Amino acid sequence: MIRSAKREKAAKQQEADAAAVERREKELERSLKPSLLPRHVAIIMDGNGRWARSRGWSERIRGHEAGTQAVRAAVETCARLKLEALTLYAFSLENWQRPRRETSALMHLLRRFLVAERDELMENNIRLIATGRLDDLPGYARQALDKTREMTAANTGLVLNLALSYSGREEIAHAVRALAQQVAEGRLQPDDIVQESITENLYAPELGDPDLLIRTSGELRVSNFLLWQIAYAEIYITDVLWPDFRKVHLLEAFVDYQKRSRRFGKVDIN
Ligand code: IPE
Ligand code: IPE
Ligand code: MG
């Protein structure tokens, strides 16, 4: 009897909390200026392991699994607000140094995600691409990735870029190798190498630089993410752990972004 009353009270509280979040989302969305939304957002999705530990679970992978809900919420929100691109740091080159049990579980989770999200991506006109050392991925993950990329290739809405086996320094080395090759073949003079030459030879130059870089779980570092592209990105760090990150948190980041004065080294004219 007492237990069921307690349960009822908890359910009521949950309902009230959900309603409060919805009100806050509406309020935040109303205060956003569509013309000042970031064009390209990049997210370092961090804190999955700590999220699992905070629940007393020893398996970090439970945090990664829960994180896919946060991915869905972020993708859905960015597509609905008509952003051009969302880059998600899903797996770094350095992450291969984690125990095999974890990297393998992450790769299987990636494959499941890529298959499960196909309908949603198509319905929302989202084009999926991936950047990083994709040849490092196990065959089963690579095949699922290639199929989802092909299926969504003609979509014209949000570009969802998954950074996989990604390293910012490696990406710059990749661009430099391409330029060195052109020099070796006599198609490029060293004196003609300018900043744009590097930019044009990055993995996905068409995305442009991110306007806003978000990192969850409170770490104050960039962990080798988009080193070239974040030169003038606005940085937003939240203590929220990635599996808890929802639409309301993303909207809060956008509202904060809209308060920034982006000067690019110039004098503010406002
Ligand atoms: C981010 O969460 C996911 C990946 C790096 C793949 P972590 O696994 O780094 O979680 P924490 O930082 O240990 O809490
Ligand atoms: C960055 O998180 C990589 C991803 C989110 C995929 P990490 O957890 O690997 O970064 P560090 O080790 O804390 O710098
Ligand atoms: Mg981490």
Side-chain angles (χ1 to χ4, degrees):
M1 200 57 176
I2 295 167
R3 195 172 283 164
S4 87
K6 254 191 181 165
R7 222 179 289 148
E8 210 171 288
K9 197 173 165 208
K12 278 225 168 85
Q13 186 58 48
Q14 245 179 2
E15 249 174 58
D17 290 350
V21 169
E22 213 173 293
R23 274 198 304 279
R24 175 98 179 111
E25 283 171 0
K26 287 219 171 90
E27 185 190 313
L28 287 164
E29 223 170 325
R30 264 198 305 273
S31 72
L32 280 175
K33 295 183 200 68
S35 62
L36 286 182
L37 279 170
R39 201 188 52 76
H40 177 188
V41 174
I43 309 183
I44 303 175
M45 311 184 288
D46 199 18
N48 297 352
R50 276 163 283 173
W51 185 89
R53 203 176 53 215
S54 73
R55 281 170 164 63
W57 296 327
S58 57
E59 289 286 349
R60 295 167 51 82
I61 188 68
R62 291 182 74 168
H64 300 315
E65 280 166 0
T68 56
Q69 277 303 104
V71 171
R72 277 189 200 104
V75 172
E76 200 259 329
T77 305
C78 291
R80 217 169 41 77
L81 292 175
K82 301 207 178 325
L83 302 202
E84 283 179 34
L86 172 65
T87 294
L88 297 177
Y89 204 2
F91 193 89
S92 74
L93 184 59
E94 291 77 17
N95 287 150
W96 290 114
Q97 296 167 62
R98 294 187 179 196
R100 166 129 180 126
R101 185 180 161 75
E102 182 173 348
T103 58
S104 165
L106 272 164
M107 289 300 131
H108 280 94
L109 183 62
L110 171 67
R111 187 190 65 82
R112 282 206 303 281
F113 176 82
L114 287 165
V115 173
E117 295 310 303
R118 281 175 189 154
D119 289 348
E120 200 69 22
L121 294 171
M122 292 309 292
E123 268 168 39
N124 292 295
N125 194 23
I126 297 167
R127 179 158 66 92
L128 183 117
I129 67 166
T131 46
R133 288 206 343 198
L134 305 182
D135 288 344
D136 294 347
L137 302 180
Y140 58 85
R142 180 64 193 262
Q143 280 152 22
L145 174 65
D146 288 345
K147 177 131 189 251
T148 307
R149 284 199 292 189
E150 263 167 50
M151 278 177 73
T152 63
N155 289 347
T156 55
L158 178 77
V159 178
L160 172 59
N161 174 28
L162 296 184
L164 294 166
S165 195
Y166 177 87
S167 145
R169 286 186 169 179
E170 181 56 36
E171 181 175 27
I172 295 168
H174 160 90
V176 171
R177 274 195 299 274
L179 295 174
Q181 185 65 35
Q182 291 175 35
V183 171
E185 289 168 6
R187 294 187 283 125
L188 181 67
Q189 291 304 311
D191 278 350
D192 292 336
I193 296 177
V194 290
Q195 293 185 26
E196 287 71 28
S197 320
I198 305 259
T199 302
E200 283 162 14
N201 284 280
L202 296 174
Y203 292 134
E206 71 280 9
L207 295 187
D209 293 345
D211 302 295
L212 173 63
L213 172 68
I214 298 173
R215 182 166 190 150
T216 58
S217 89
E219 305 292 357
L220 303 177
R221 53 177 174 263
V222 292
S223 300
N224 208 359
F225 191 39
L226 304 176
L227 297 181
W228 182 268
Q229 298 92 323
I230 59 174
Y232 269 102
E234 294 297 325
I235 298 175
Y236 180 88
I237 296 185
T238 169
D239 286 336
V240 176
L241 303 175
W242 178 250
D244 290 328
F245 194 84
R246 286 294 178 276
K247 179 179 171 186
V248 67
H249 304 111
L250 191 57
L251 294 175
E252 274 167 0
F254 291 171
V255 168
D256 191 85
Y257 168 82
Q258 295 200 333
K259 290 186 194 143
R260 312 272 181 100
S261 157
R262 301 190 76 191
R263 290 189 288 276
F264 301 95
K266 293 175 243 171
V267 174
D268 202 349
I269 45 164
N270 297 314

